[in-house]
Amino acid sequence: MAATDTDTSIRSSCHCGAITVTAPRLPEYINVCQCTICRRYGAAWGYYHADEVKIETKPNAVTKQYVWGDRDLSFNFCDNCGCVCYWWPTRPPPVCTFDEGEYLMGLNTNNVNPEILRFVDRKFEYSQMVVPLRSKDTAHPDDAAKY
């Protein structure tokens, strides 16, 4: 990624344009998470501090949420077109962190113009596949974690 690209704000929107998320810069990298939910969504996450993104909805637009497992994250999608737009932490740190002490959210970069993200590194993250939930009772049947 070119150094000048890091200061470029990006705009992500669902297919119908009802939900728009604006982030202040390109993500450090794009994560194609392989956990039980993300691989089904086909999402490619860019991570940001929760307080640095702006989420806007058009009048009468509805954002639906899916919360499961440890109930640490809500996956938010457009009720009209069905696009997964972002995940949002439901609990403050240290529960919702990927890096020490950071309260992060995930922006689905598949809703961003791909030309803007052309030179951002992508990684396929498999580590979340084996991270156990706090309770096996809430795990997905395909959960590969050891309990």
Side-chain angles (χ1 to χ4, degrees):
M1 172 170 49
T4 57
D5 290 341
T6 58
D7 296 327
T8 303
S9 68
I10 62 169
R11 183 181 159 274
S12 171
S13 67
C14 64
H15 194 260
C16 71
I19 301 169
T20 302
V21 182
T22 304
R25 65 188 171 290
L26 295 174
E28 185 178 321
Y29 63 92
I30 294 170
N31 179 22
V32 184
C33 181
Q34 296 298 303
C35 77
T36 59
I37 189 68
C38 293
R39 73 174 190 258
R40 285 171 170 80
Y41 282 150
W45 304 111
Y47 301 113
Y48 297 93
H49 290 273
D51 61 356
E52 67 181 340
V53 297
K54 181 179 181 183
I55 300 170
E56 299 174 282
T57 56
K58 286 188 175 176
N60 301 319
V62 176
T63 304
K64 293 284 189 166
Q65 296 180 337
Y66 178 62
V67 180
W68 70 282
D70 285 340
R71 307 195 64 76
D72 291 339
L73 308 174
S74 70
F75 291 88
N76 298 266
F77 56 95
C78 176
D79 189 43
N80 186 50
C81 67
C83 287
V84 177
C85 299
Y86 57 94
W87 64 255
W88 196 262
T90 59
R91 302 173 192 218
V95 176
C96 290
T97 62
F98 281 88
D99 297 319
E100 272 185 55
E102 294 187 276
Y103 193 52
L104 300 177
M105 61 81 64
L107 169 68
N108 187 1
T109 62
N110 283 339
N111 296 330
V112 176
N113 178 341
E115 187 61 34
I116 293 170
L117 301 171
R118 183 182 219 169
F119 299 107
V120 178
D121 289 336
R122 291 180 182 265
K123 78 176 192 177
F124 284 75
E125 180 59 54
Y126 293 89
S127 66
Q128 289 297 317
M129 290 176 58
V130 295
V131 174
L133 298 175
R134 287 187 292 278
S135 170
K136 182 177 176 36
D137 296 335
T138 59
H140 187 274
D142 291 344
D143 188 339
K146 303 291 183 222
Y147 292 91

